[in-house]
């Protein structure tokens, strides 16, 4: 399948899952606009190998004005955003009574409100061209809860609700909107949680195995590239009737 002449904007794609998705879409021929913090030069150099047009925009997606600036940049550089992957996300783990108010606000802004802003900015062009794919990287935590993750679980449940509404509002068009719900993926976001266990006295291997064993029956991490392949499928014509779905890839987490 080729995504030649399509442009994909992937938020939070300077590391982890977003970078894995960007890699798969670039290999399928898409132009890619990377977004996220940190030095993007290695990611840019790698993706340029696949002979696509690749750029980076450093918008902080907690700020709607910066998201608008990123879409204006995408229009100027590529002429369109055909595929939007709302992926940027952060985590904070604390019991609800101790949850820092600023962390709550940041998680809702980055993990949930940015999905609304990106979608409202992408949809007019997608409708005008009558083709588009919006893929929201939610989480198993969009479908079930876990202790210590009040803001994250609330935001991800919100993303799945938003996905359903956009799936319905675009149902008679060639624009689709779906969510993917990963289980554990070994990225910096999850490494932080493993590090907390190590700080509490666990050995590194044990900390990783325990984290998996508690939730993920396969006891193996999902990889960013596997998630990228699912995004690629959702971009295909074969997936044109997958609408408003929340599709888990979680090593069996939600089967329990
Ligand atoms: P990560 O920390 O490796 O990457 C997060 C990316 O988002 C980075 O590129 C970072 O620069 C960017 N980012 C963070 N705040 C930003 C902001 N304000 N503006 C713009 N970019 C910002 O995390 P990850 O594990 O790859 O997570 C990616 C997505 O996948 C998140 O939405 C996360 O909730 C979701 N997810 C992750 C897992 C997992 O196990 N890692 C599981 C389920 C869902």
């Amino acid at each position: 399948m080729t995504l030649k002449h399509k442009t994909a904007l992937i938020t939070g794609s300077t590391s982890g899952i977003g970078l894995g998705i960007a890699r798969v879409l670039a290999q399928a021929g898409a132009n890619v606009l990377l977004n996220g913090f940190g030095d993007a030069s290695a990611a840019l150099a790698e993706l340029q190998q696949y002979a696509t047009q690749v750029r980076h925009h450093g918008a902080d997606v907690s700020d709607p004005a910066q998201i608008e600036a990123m879409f204006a940049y995408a229009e100027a550089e590529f002429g369109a955003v055909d595929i939007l992957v709302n992926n940027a996300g952060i985590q904070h783990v604390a019991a609800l009574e101790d949850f820092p108010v600023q962390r709550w606000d940041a998680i809702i802004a980055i993990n949930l409100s940015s999905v609304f802003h990106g979608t409202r900015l992408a949809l007019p062009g997608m409708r005008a061209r009558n083709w588009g794919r919006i893929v929201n990287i939610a989480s198993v935590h969009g479908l079930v809860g876990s202790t210590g993750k009040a803001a994250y679980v609330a935001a991800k449940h919100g993303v799945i609700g938003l996905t359903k509404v956009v799936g319905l509002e675009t149902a008679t068009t060639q624009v689709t909107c779906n969510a993917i719900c990963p289980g554990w993926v070994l990225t910096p976001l999850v490494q932080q949680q493993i590090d907390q266990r190590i700080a509490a006295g666990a050995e590194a291997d044990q900390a990783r195995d325990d984290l998996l064993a508690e939730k993920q029956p396969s006891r193996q991490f999902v990889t960013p590239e596997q998630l990228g392949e699912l995004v690629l499928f959702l971009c295909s014509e074969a997936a044109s009737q997958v609408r408003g779905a929340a599709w888990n890839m979680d090593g069996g987490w939600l089967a329990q």
Side-chain angles (χ1 to χ4, degrees), residues 47-249:
L47 267 54
Q48 269 151 7
Q49 288 176 59
Y50 310 123
T52 53
Q53 215 184 324
V54 187
R55 300 278 186 278
H56 170 255
H57 192 284
D60 177 342
V61 301
S62 68
D63 176 1
Q66 293 189 42
I67 302 176
E68 286 176 15
M70 178 166 63
F71 272 80
Y73 176 81
E75 286 284 333
E77 289 290 307
F78 299 101
V81 173
D82 304 295
I83 299 163
L84 171 64
V85 183
N86 287 304
N87 167 77
I90 59 168
Q91 175 64 284
H92 186 88
V93 182
L96 192 123
E97 310 90 290
D98 305 325
F99 214 91
V101 171
Q102 282 181 331
R103 287 284 85 196
W104 170 276
D105 289 342
I107 289 174
I108 298 300
I110 294 166
N111 296 18
L112 176 57
S113 298
S114 78
V115 181
F116 162 68
H117 293 296
T119 303
R120 74 178 170 81
L121 293 164
L123 268 181
M126 290 177 174
R127 282 189 192 279
R129 291 182 295 279
N130 198 27
W131 196 92
R133 293 289 187 265
I134 300 171
V135 182
N136 298 324
I137 306 305
S139 168
V140 285
H141 284 121
L143 295 165
V144 295
S146 286
T147 54
K149 297 185 177 173
Y152 189 87
V153 169
K156 295 298 189 182
H157 275 68
V159 168
I160 290 177
L162 184 55
T163 302
K164 291 176 181 170
V165 172
V166 178
L168 291 173
E169 291 189 0
T170 55
T172 58
T173 74
Q174 293 305 310
V175 180
T176 71
C177 178
N178 293 290
I180 293 178
C181 302
W184 292 124
V185 186
L186 189 55
T187 67
L189 182 143
V190 164
Q191 188 60 47
Q192 279 174 14
Q193 295 171 59
I194 295 171
D195 290 345
Q196 282 177 0
R197 289 169 187 250
I198 295 169
E203 293 293 326
D205 285 353
Q206 196 61 45
R208 197 178 309 129
D209 290 349
D210 288 350
L211 179 104
L212 283 168
E214 281 168 19
K215 302 280 188 181
Q216 198 145 305
S218 68
R219 298 197 178 199
Q220 295 192 328
F221 289 104
V222 179
T223 69
E225 285 69 25
Q226 288 171 330
L227 292 164
E229 294 291 341
L230 182 51
V231 174
L232 184 60
F233 170 69
L234 290 173
C235 291
S236 71
E237 287 312 303
S240 63
Q241 290 308 321
V242 183
R243 293 172 182 272
W247 190 322
N248 48 309
M249 184 185 273

